[in-house]
């Protein structure tokens, strides 16, 4: 446990006592010429005033100590006030921010001492040398030591502040990474579960219009279809709140099925979708980054077609190119009896960012009476993305 520091007035009193001790004892033990008692008392009083001023006005405290030393000795050197002179010079360097006032004060002390030696000095040359040495070693050097001490403390404080700031930044970075990863997982759940719920709604719609089904079962199928649509919308709203940045690339979770299997499963669920692979080049590499990205594009487009244009025919076209693979999904107008669930998705925005980040192109918008999604993904690897290649032609 750290000891409590003494109060400022207690420290000042201890400092004054330490400086007054040599001023009162140096004459008694014969280190200085004897002086009258009133001079000693006046010197102790001046030291008390200098000690009181040393914290708020260190330059004035040093000036008082220097004037006291010049009064006691023409050469500035005296054992009675020498410790006080050096200590106040040290405090001047430690507590004063600017150097110019201190330099001017040293020059003034030197000029005053030189004038006094020239006027009343017995042997001016040795006395001037002693004064110069005292000013240099007893004033300037302690002042420089105080400034160095001050700068060291400021650098140490700046270092600790910078370390604390870096720790805060690291903590914020880790927290942001956790939130981003949480948003990625949430978006992946939205894409996967939204697609499955859309297929459930399609199966319920096909069951609702199946021949030979009783009215009670038709109502149950209709309720199931409405519940799946509501669950999809609710899932979208929840994920929309969790997402931190809509422009962030969508996560690229490995697909458990190929594009053809994805389309076939959607067709088995009742979605009127047709698979049309074209091109002479081989399709995407199985399990690669391009296939996973195209899988997400196709899944999101099929989900949107099932939700926003139920009953409309969908055509999935896959074209292999020498530099990559292009996929186009086109759906027509919704069937007259199809219901259109409310709400819009941000999945296309995330897919656009992901495809663009991989060096491809992405287009989505109205086409004739329906909607078309077109994406081109170059042949990229996990470690080295390919350069941006020209994608499919823009919509007419």
């Amino acid at each position: 446990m750290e000891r409590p520091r003494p109060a400022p007035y207690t420290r000042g009193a201890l400092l004054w006592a330490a400086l007054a001790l040599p001023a009162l004892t140096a004459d008694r033990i014969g280190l200085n010429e004897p002086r009258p008692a009133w001079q000693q008392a006046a010197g102790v009083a001046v030291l008390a005033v200098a000690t009181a001023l040393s914290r708020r006005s260190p330059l004035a405290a040093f000036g008082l100590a220097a004037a006291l030393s010049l009064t006691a000795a023409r050469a500035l050197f005296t054992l009675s006030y020498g410790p006080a002179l050096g200590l106040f010079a040290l405090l001047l360097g430690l507590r004063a921010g600017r150097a110019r006032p201190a330099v001017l004060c040293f020059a003034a002390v030197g000029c005053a001492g030189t004038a006094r030696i020239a006027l009343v000095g017995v042997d001016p040359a040795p006395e001037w040398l002693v004064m110069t040495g005292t000013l240099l070693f007893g004033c300037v050097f302690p002042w420089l030591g105080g400034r160095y001490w001050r700068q060291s403390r400021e650098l140490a404080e700046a270092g600790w502040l910078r370390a604390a700031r870096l720790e805060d930044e690291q903590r914020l970075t880790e927290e942001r990474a956790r939130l981003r990863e949480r948003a990625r997982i949430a978006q992946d759940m939205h894409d996967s579960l939204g697609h499955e719920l859309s297929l459930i709604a399609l199966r319920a719609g096909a069951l609702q219009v199946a021949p030979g089904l009783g009215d009670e079962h038709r109502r149950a199928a209709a309720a199931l279809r409405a519940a799946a649509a509501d669950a999809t919308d609710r899932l979208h709203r929840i994920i929309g709140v969790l997402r931190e940045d809509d422009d962030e690339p969508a996560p690229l979770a490995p697909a458990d099925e190929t594009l053809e299997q994805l389309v076939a499963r959607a067709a088995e669920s009742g979605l009127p979708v047709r698979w049309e692979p074209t091109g002479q080049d081989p399709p995407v590499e199985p399990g690669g980054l391009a296939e996973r990205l195209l899988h997400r594009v196709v899944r999101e487009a099929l989900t949107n077609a099932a939700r926003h244009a139920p009953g409309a025919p969908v055509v999935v076209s896959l074209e292999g190119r020498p530099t990559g693979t292009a996929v186009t999904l086109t759906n027509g107008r919704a069937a007259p009896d199809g219901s259109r669930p409310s709400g819009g998705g941000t999945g296309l925005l995330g897919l656009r960012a992901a495809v663009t980040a991989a060096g491809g192109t992405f287009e989505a918008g109205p086409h004739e009476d329906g909607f078309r999604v077109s994406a081109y993904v170059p042949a990229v690897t996990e470690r080295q993305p390919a350069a941006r290649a020209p994608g499919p032609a823009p919509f007419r």
Side-chain angles (χ1 to χ4, degrees), residues 44-56:
V44 172
V46 172
L47 288 178
V49 175
T51 303
L53 296 175
S54 61
R55 180 168 296 276
R56 294 188 177 182

Side-chain angles (χ1 to χ4, degrees), residues 248-269:
E248 183 180 351
L252 301 177
D256 296 331
E257 58 187 354
T258 63
L259 297 177
E260 187 174 1
Q261 293 172 348
L262 174 63
V263 175
R265 186 160 62 91
E268 292 175 358
S269 300

